[in-house]
Amino acid sequence: MKIAARFNGPPGSGNGGYVAGLLAQEVDAGDAVSVRLRVPPPLETPLHVHFDGAAAELREGDVVVARAEPADLEFELPKLPSLDEARAAAAAVPPRTEHPFPTCFGCGPDRPPGEAVGALLGQVDDVLWAGVWRPGPLLPHEGGRVAPEVVWAALDCPSAQPVAPDGGPAHVLGTLTARLEHPVALDADHLLLAWALGREGRKAWSASAIVNSDGQVCGVAKAVWISIG
């Protein structure tokens, strides 16, 4: 396995959600998969998967980059905004001139349109953040469906916005626990939702979800973020 440079997060390392989504596919899980990142995932570097019982580890030589294992994920969605409400919330966000990782595959504002996830959420109320994601054919896909690892990336970065609503301090993903429930279709609008769950020191918790225009839940996740600012 090799993480292509296109799928970066912070400079020089892989997008956490994307890498987690790749590794999660190696785990036989009836419900959710939890992936913990141990070190920044290297780009354009040969990696291998090591199996440890029901868990799978992504390794560079003897170094464990990430570990994935089956998990239970309890989840309750908030009241859903409309697509128009979500679109308006995202449009109200000021230009992201101070983004800590401007070329990030998940949320970087400097990526060409359609070539990356490009997640952008705005605050709908005191708790919920929302935006609209319309994945296009430049993203990895098969049979009109977005690749699972890209869906994981779309669950990853949005959940950082409620954790650092003013764009800082910078946070990096520690653990992402996700469950994919319905395919994400190309060229279709989807709600991206995120909300904070708590904070203790440098560690913060948040949740995210992707819902299609028919109200079907495509994926849900909970994340642990680590402040590096």
Side-chain angles (χ1 to χ4, degrees):
M1 183 185 296
K2 185 181 290 187
I3 310 302
R6 170 188 176 186
F7 303 111
N8 68 286
S13 63
N15 173 268
Y18 179 87
V19 174
L22 282 178
L23 186 58
Q25 294 174 67
E26 303 290 339
V27 174
D28 184 11
D31 185 31
V33 178
S34 184
V35 182
R36 181 181 178 188
L37 300 175
R38 301 289 184 85
V39 298
L43 299 171
E44 300 293 350
T45 301
L47 305 170
H48 68 277
V49 177
H50 171 80
F51 293 97
D52 179 16
E57 293 181 341
L58 186 63
R59 295 185 175 187
E60 180 188 5
D62 293 331
V63 176
V64 178
V65 175
R67 180 180 173 89
E69 52 195 339
D72 295 322
L73 181 59
E74 296 183 2
F75 211 91
E76 183 176 347
L77 280 174
K79 180 182 177 181
L80 300 181
S82 68
L83 286 168
D84 286 343
E85 289 171 331
R87 193 175 284 110
V93 175
R96 296 180 294 169
T97 56
E98 301 298 325
H99 194 290
F101 310 122
T103 64
C104 174
F105 175 73
C107 59
D110 291 355
R111 298 295 290 253
E115 184 267 344
V117 173
L120 175 62
L121 280 63
Q123 198 160 4
V124 175
D125 55 34
D126 290 342
V127 175
L128 185 64
W129 290 64
V132 176
W133 181 38
R134 188 179 181 87
L138 295 180
L139 294 174
H141 64 278
E142 184 174 354
R145 299 176 174 183
V146 177
E149 59 270 25
V150 177
V151 179
W152 275 69
L155 287 166
D156 165 22
C157 284
S159 67
Q161 284 193 251
V163 166
D166 298 322
H171 287 67
V172 293
L173 184 67
T175 302
L176 188 62
T177 303
R179 180 174 62 242
L180 304 189
E181 300 185 5
H182 190 82
V184 172
L186 287 179
D187 297 319
D189 288 339
H190 295 75
L191 281 174
L192 286 182
L193 307 172
W195 56 101
L197 296 175
R199 175 179 288 278
E200 184 177 329
R202 294 176 54 239
K203 186 179 292 187
W205 293 264
S206 62
S208 58
I210 301 172
V211 181
N212 69 19
S213 59
D214 293 326
Q216 293 174 306
V217 177
C218 298
V220 294
K222 290 184 178 179
V224 180
W225 293 94
I226 309 299
S227 171
I228 60 171

